[in-house]
Amino acid sequence: MRDSRVVVIGGGMVGAALGYGLARQGIETLMLDEGDQGLRAARGNFGLLWVQGKGAEFPAYARWTMDSCRLWPDFAAELAELTDIDVQFRQRGGIHYCLDEPELEAYRLELAQQAEVSGGDFEYQFLSPTQLARLEPHISANIPGACYSPNDGHVNPLFLLRALHAGFLAKGGHYRPRHHVLNIETTHDGFMLHTEQGPIRAEQLVLAAGLDNRRLAPMVDLSQPLIPQRGQLLITERLPRLLNYPSIYLRQTGEGSIQIGDSSEQVGLDDGNTPQVMARLARRAISLLPALRHRHIVRGWGALRVLSPDGYPVYEQNRDPGPRVHAFSSHSGVTLAAVHALTLAPMLMAPRLSPSLEAFTPQRFKD
Ligand SMILES: Cc1cc2nc3c(=O)[nH]c(=O)nc-3n(C[C@H](O)[C@H](O)[C@H](O)COP(=O)(O)OP(=O)(O)OC[C@H]3O[C@@H](n4cnc5c(N)ncnc54)[C@H](O)[C@@H]3O)c2cc1C
């Protein structure tokens, strides 16, 4: 049996960011991950650092997202210096395309509200067709409307995950892959984790197991109400530069491929892909970017979002005086990686999370 001060269950986007943030403060941390057979949103996502459209009706989330986007430039530089991994961080802004007039009108109202609740930091500009053509000359002239925000950006999410793991190890963290946590017992001075490789004792515990937080949280008297939502993505062959800015539908990667996203499907734990959805994504992509018409798709995949009932993060800690346990789930783990590592992780050693995070507790689903 091994002892660790803090054990993080899950080495996906949330767990690796928190693990890195803990190790960065010199806290002895062990990160466990079940491995390749697990559901891993971290390996199937779109890579956006996205602000526009986030949190108009949930001010704490709007501000938290802005906080992360402000931290991202230094965070990416820190990871690059520490690990030599360039996560392809770009924050020159992003564009949202409104596909019909009603959507455009609704989006105007939504962003006005987001700006109001964001405390003045969030910037955006609706684009006339001429302005859009200047920013994105290859995008179809038939798009009814578009909105640019300088706060948006993107990264290569696989490089990010690798950099978080490498940074965690460089800061003295310990990582055990193929350690599926089967169950958790609370003891008088900590937790006993039962894994397929034997028991592990932890003084303090962080649940960051993505969708498996649903199963693990009740073992420590927490609750993580989560719903899997499948997103399918496509990726084209490498192409000359066609896009200057990312969007939720299309982004051109550092290598030149166009990533085409993404569906929102309720299909339980099925993370496969289907020809019907892939065809729909391809049609929408061509209508936005006609230059894709005769290009090749080289890959497609499905991955499951870690979604709460209202779509916002769920952060929780135990209230009783016993050993400390936190549980964290978020459907925007890439965007929030910087704030998870640099702001949230340091709070884990304090008696309580900051009151500014109170809005994220699952209590909101009971009220
Ligand atoms: C199609 C799609 C597109 C997305 N696009 C974006 C985007 O553009 N921008 C953005 O910010 N976010 C995006 N996301 C969301 C982002 O990927 C997730 O927010 C993030 O991956 C969630 O991180 P997580 O660590 O909670 O879960 P995961 O990344 O799924 O990681 C959970 C980890 O826990 C491990 N695990 C599970 N159970 C156990 C157990 N019992 N014991 C040990 N280990 C366990 C798994 O192996 C896995 O590695 C997207 C998601 C999807 C599916």
Side-chain angles (χ1 to χ4, degrees):
M1 189 188 313
R2 286 154 296 192
D3 284 6
S4 257
R5 177 131 187 241
V6 182
V7 173
V8 178
I9 304 180
M13 207 53 89
V14 172
L18 291 169
Y20 171 68
L22 287 165
R24 184 178 180 271
Q25 298 169 86
I27 293 157
E28 190 210 322
T29 307
L30 171 66
M31 186 158 67
L32 305 174
D33 196 274
E34 74 173 299
D36 286 342
Q37 74 280 15
L39 296 167
R40 299 165 123 185
R43 285 162 197 270
N45 71 70
F46 205 62
L48 296 177
L49 312 176
W50 210 245
V51 178
Q52 57 173 307
K54 296 268 188 81
E57 295 187 348
F58 200 117
Y61 182 56
R63 290 192 291 271
W64 191 233
T65 303
M66 277 302 301
D67 287 350
S68 199
C69 284
R70 259 193 306 270
L71 291 170
W72 252 105
D74 287 346
F75 183 53
E78 175 179 313
L79 287 176
E81 193 177 322
L82 181 65
T83 66
D84 258 348
I85 298 170
D86 171 7
V87 301
Q88 299 182 349
F89 165 73
R90 304 282 179 276
Q91 198 176 26
R92 299 177 52 228
I95 297 180
H96 178 75
Y97 300 107
C98 295
L99 303 181
D100 54 41
E101 290 294 340
E103 184 193 344
L104 178 59
E105 280 324 298
Y107 201 57
R108 281 187 198 283
L109 297 175
E110 184 181 347
L111 291 207
Q113 192 175 337
Q114 183 182 348
E116 199 177 312
V117 302
S118 294
D121 284 345
F122 169 56
E123 293 174 58
Y124 68 100
Q125 183 193 352
F126 279 87
L127 303 172
S128 69
T130 320
Q131 288 170 319
L132 175 59
R134 224 177 282 133
L135 292 183
E136 286 292 23
H138 295 284
I139 287 288
S140 162
N142 298 327
I143 304 300
C147 180
Y148 168 80
S149 169
N151 303 120
D152 297 324
H154 57 146
V155 292
N156 179 318
L158 295 179
F159 289 178
L160 171 61
L161 187 63
R162 198 146 63 82
L164 291 171
H165 276 250
F168 173 70
L169 295 176
K171 291 288 181 187
H174 303 280
Y175 178 55
R176 303 264 179 277
R178 294 181 299 282
H179 273 65
H180 180 218
V181 177
L182 302 167
N183 60 60
I184 306 167
E185 269 175 73
T186 305
T187 62
H188 70 284
D189 59 352
F191 301 93
M192 188 66 75
L193 311 180
H194 297 278
T195 78
E196 281 159 352
Q197 321 300 331
I200 292 174
R201 205 160 49 197
E203 280 178 32
Q204 185 173 332
L205 191 58
V206 177
L207 305 187
L211 287 167
D212 209 28
N213 267 3
R214 289 188 296 187
R215 183 182 68 85
L216 296 173
M219 297 178 191
V220 287
D221 287 331
L222 299 181
S223 97
Q224 293 271 294
L226 298 169
I227 307 150
Q229 185 195 64
R230 184 169 70 185
Q232 296 189 43
L233 279 83
L234 302 173
I235 194 141
T236 69
E237 61 187 313
R238 293 179 181 187
L239 298 170
R241 184 89 357 226
L242 289 173
L243 292 173
N244 296 317
Y245 300 91
S247 74
I248 59 170
Y249 300 126
L250 299 168
R251 89 175 178 93
Q252 191 154 18
T253 67
E255 293 76 25
S257 307
I258 305 271
Q259 202 163 308
I260 300 172
D262 51 358
S263 59
S264 303
E265 306 163 68
Q266 307 300 334
V267 289
L269 293 178
D270 176 358
D271 64 354
N273 48 7
T274 62
Q276 295 84 348
V277 173
M278 290 194 287
R280 184 164 54 75
L281 295 178
R283 272 196 300 275
R284 185 173 65 193
I286 291 167
S287 74
L288 282 165
L289 185 60
L292 290 182
R293 184 172 301 277
H294 299 295
R295 300 306 192 165
H296 294 106
I297 299 291
V298 294
R299 259 182 321 129
W301 64 87
L304 297 177
R305 295 190 184 86
V306 180
L307 211 63
S308 67
D310 60 8
Y312 300 112
V314 185
Y315 298 161
E316 194 184 13
Q317 73 181 122
N318 60 332
R319 299 246 157 217
D320 51 45
R324 205 173 298 160
V325 52
H326 295 88
F328 299 107
S329 307
S330 165
H331 85 297
S332 46
V334 180
T335 307
L336 297 180
V339 81
H340 283 163
L342 303 182
T343 308
L344 185 56
M347 291 181 198
L348 302 188
M349 306 316 287
R352 305 232 50 86
L353 295 177
S354 157
S356 63
L357 299 182
E358 193 61 33
F360 295 110
T361 67
Q363 186 58 37
R364 68 185 188 270
F365 303 115
K366 296 173 192 148
D367 291 340

